[in-house]
Amino acid sequence: FGDQVPTIEDMIPEYVMIVSTLIDCKVDIFLCETLSTCREAIAILRALSQSNSRNIPIWVSYTIKDDISNELRSGDSLMDACSQIIKLASSLKLPLEAIGVNCSSPSAISKALLCISPLVSGSGLKLCAYGNCFQTTTSEWMASLNGDNDKQKESKRVTSAEEYDHNGYLLPEAYARYAREWAALGAQIIGG
């Protein structure tokens, strides 16, 4: 996955254009989500540092593998990626307000929050979490798009099949249980 993402230097001009347009539209927040590599977040923060967006809050959210490895889809360590972004935002004097995980299985998000909550504890940063609600994991779906049936079979689904309805959607009471778990783990921003 990570090999499909351009270099930081190649992404910055694109992000500068996006940031400029969003500032012109008077956005309230920069929600940088479903990032599969750390270098995407680095490029976004560098683009933001080149703009006059200094007082607009920034949220960074990564998508992780649907197992309990705490790895981004690129294979990068979630803990390392979050740590790098927190340090970079601070050094660039950017208003990073929240960091977290999205577009991943609910149980993988729970494990991820356990991993990154110590990074934000006492820092003033908020943790965010919002998961996928469908039984086919993003990892399985991506493997099927690439015709990689071996990877699809290898996928380690960690959310129980009993938590889904007959159409493969996560039951509302199951998502509510995960949301309560995420809150208990320190998440202050929870979505779905």
Side-chain angles (χ1 to χ4, degrees), residues 12 27 29 49-50 60-62 77 82 95 99-100 123 132 159 172 192:
I12 290 173
V27 298
I29 191 166
S49 74
Q50 295 177 23
V60 172
S61 186
Y62 292 104
S77 159
C82 290
I99 197 156
S123 70
N132 286 341
T159 305

Side-chain angles (χ1 to χ4, degrees), residues 23-69:
I23 290 171
D24 290 346
C25 293
K26 308 213 181 308
V27 298
D28 298 317
I29 191 166
F30 288 107
L31 177 54
C32 315
E33 65 174 2
T34 319
L35 304 177
S36 61
T37 68
C38 185
R39 66 180 179 271
E40 290 169 285
I42 291 169
I44 292 167
L45 291 186
R46 287 193 184 164
L48 286 165
S49 74
Q50 295 177 23
S51 72
N52 60 352
S53 67
R54 296 281 180 199
N55 57 353
I56 301 173
I58 302 163
W59 296 2
V60 172
S61 186
Y62 292 104
T63 180
I64 58 174
K65 292 179 181 179
D66 294 302
D67 55 20
I68 55 172
S69 66

Side-chain angles (χ1 to χ4, degrees), residues 89-157:
S90 176
S91 71
L92 295 173
K93 298 182 180 10
L94 293 171
L96 181 63
E97 185 176 278
I99 197 156
V101 182
N102 75 294
C103 198
S104 306
S105 71
S107 51
I109 289 175
S110 295
K111 294 293 183 188
L113 292 177
L114 278 169
C115 172
I116 62 174
S117 62
L119 282 176
V120 302
S121 181
S123 70
L125 285 174
K126 297 176 183 169
L127 272 178
C128 60
Y130 36 111
N132 286 341
C133 292
F134 36 88
Q135 190 169 17
T136 301
T137 68
T138 302
S139 301
E140 290 170 333
W141 174 72
M142 289 170 29
S144 73
L145 289 177
N146 295 325
D148 194 345
N149 292 328
D150 291 335
K151 264 195 179 168
Q152 192 173 359
K153 290 174 192 169
E154 286 175 18
S155 176
K156 296 178 182 91
R157 182 177 297 152

